[in-house]
Amino acid sequence: MKVSREQATKNRAHVVEVAGAQFRKHGFDGIGVADLMQAAGLTHGGFYNNFASKDALAAEAVTQVFAETTERLRQYAQAAADRYAAMVRFYLSPEHRDSVETGCAIAALSQDAARGSPELRAAFEAGIAAYLELIVELAGVTRPRAMAIYATMVGALTLARTVTDPVLSTDILTAATDNLLAAKDS
Amino acid sequence: MKVSREQATKNRAHVVEVAGAQFRKHGFDGIGVADLMQAAGLTHGGFYNNFASKDALAAEAVTQVFAETTERLRQYAQAAADRYAAMVRFYLSPEHRDSVETGCAIAALSQDAARGSPELRAAFEAGIAAYLELIVELAGVTRPRAMAIYATMVGALTLARTVTDPVLSTDILTAATDNLLAAKDS
DNA sequence: ATTATCTATAGATCTATAGATAATGC
DNA sequence: ATTATCTATAGATCTATAGATAATGC
């Protein structure tokens, strides 16, 4: 049953990748180690050879998710004429709302993270800092303004995912988008 | 061990009250029925005479929390000269940030709620609708603008609670407050 | 020989229920 | 007699570990 060292490294990375999606989808407490490993095609016993604990995996998965999502957003926005508008529209799109498992870690997990371990919170804090840098860079705004923009995007996506009425949900996304685009530097 | 019907009614209400605080503090999955009942001064076996399930209690507690928090915000803002500014400053105060268990249900639990039962989500949806009405009333803004204001407040509070650096946390609250006050009707 | 992965399980949860108990309220 | 609350427990989780297995890589 043993695999090559190279394959083992790939397996480990795959567990982190799967965990990033599963945690966002189900929440940190909504998915167990055994189910995570099964989703990655492994048995749960092997987990602790690769990770010190479920919490350590969570911190690692969150770091990975931030790296992926900020890079994706950067690529997308940099190709657009109006980078600020592209960023806002991308973040507040119905597609992002309907794709929790591949979307923003903050919008999916930050409330649980705030109750989490120092390690987990540190991973989020680093991700938030990088995200703010990205907004400053893409939108050409001040750091305080980037904070307000980020807050509006996170809050709107969170609200849009909480309500069940599709009209209200879309209205929230549209309202936040319109307000952000109308007042870029306010 | 039996108590009067009157006392039983009080006990039930007390469980809902305690649950509202404990759920906000620990998350829906972070506190069990036995611990909730113990915090209310009862044993966990009696729980199911009063509630159909833990989820039913969650929906009831959330409804109660929204009623309390919106009423408190209304009272506070209506006594101020600038109701809009009072509302924003109240919501984005360090005191609110540091009082998860008595604060806004959305900022504490909405991400878990989005993964929850239809009953739970319905309780949140009604609370959100009432909150938007309150903002429209207090701030005298349009409904779309109320959505953007609410989104900014929820997102900023969520971010401020996620980071561990107290300076960054306060900066986020201040940035969101300043932006909202500078652009009330944008 | 080393080690990546497996099976199996310990120990500690959790939700929900069954049945006993004892005070209320007809 | 009714019923609010209690004790005790069933059954299903969950995290983490112990020890076995078998393929890699010296």
Side-chain angles (χ1 to χ4, degrees), chain A residues 25-59:
Chain A
K25 186 173 183 182
H26 302 290
F28 289 121
D29 294 337
I31 183 86
V33 170
D35 288 336
L36 274 176
M37 290 297 275
Q38 188 174 24
L42 298 165
T43 58
H44 72 283
F47 179 82
Y48 293 92
N49 291 24
N50 280 306
F51 305 98
S53 63
K54 185 188 181 185
D55 195 68
L57 169 66

Side-chain angles (χ1 to χ4, degrees), chain B residues 34-51:
Chain B
D35 288 336
L36 274 176
M37 290 297 275
Q38 188 174 23
L42 298 165
T43 57
H44 72 281
F47 179 82
Y48 293 92
N49 292 24
N50 280 306
F51 305 97

Side-chain angles (χ1 to χ4, degrees), chain B residues 13-34:
Chain B
H14 188 228
V15 171
V16 174
E17 188 75 22
V18 165
Q22 295 290 301
F23 281 141
R24 276 177 285 182
K25 187 173 181 183
H26 299 110
F28 289 121
D29 294 337
I31 183 86
V33 170

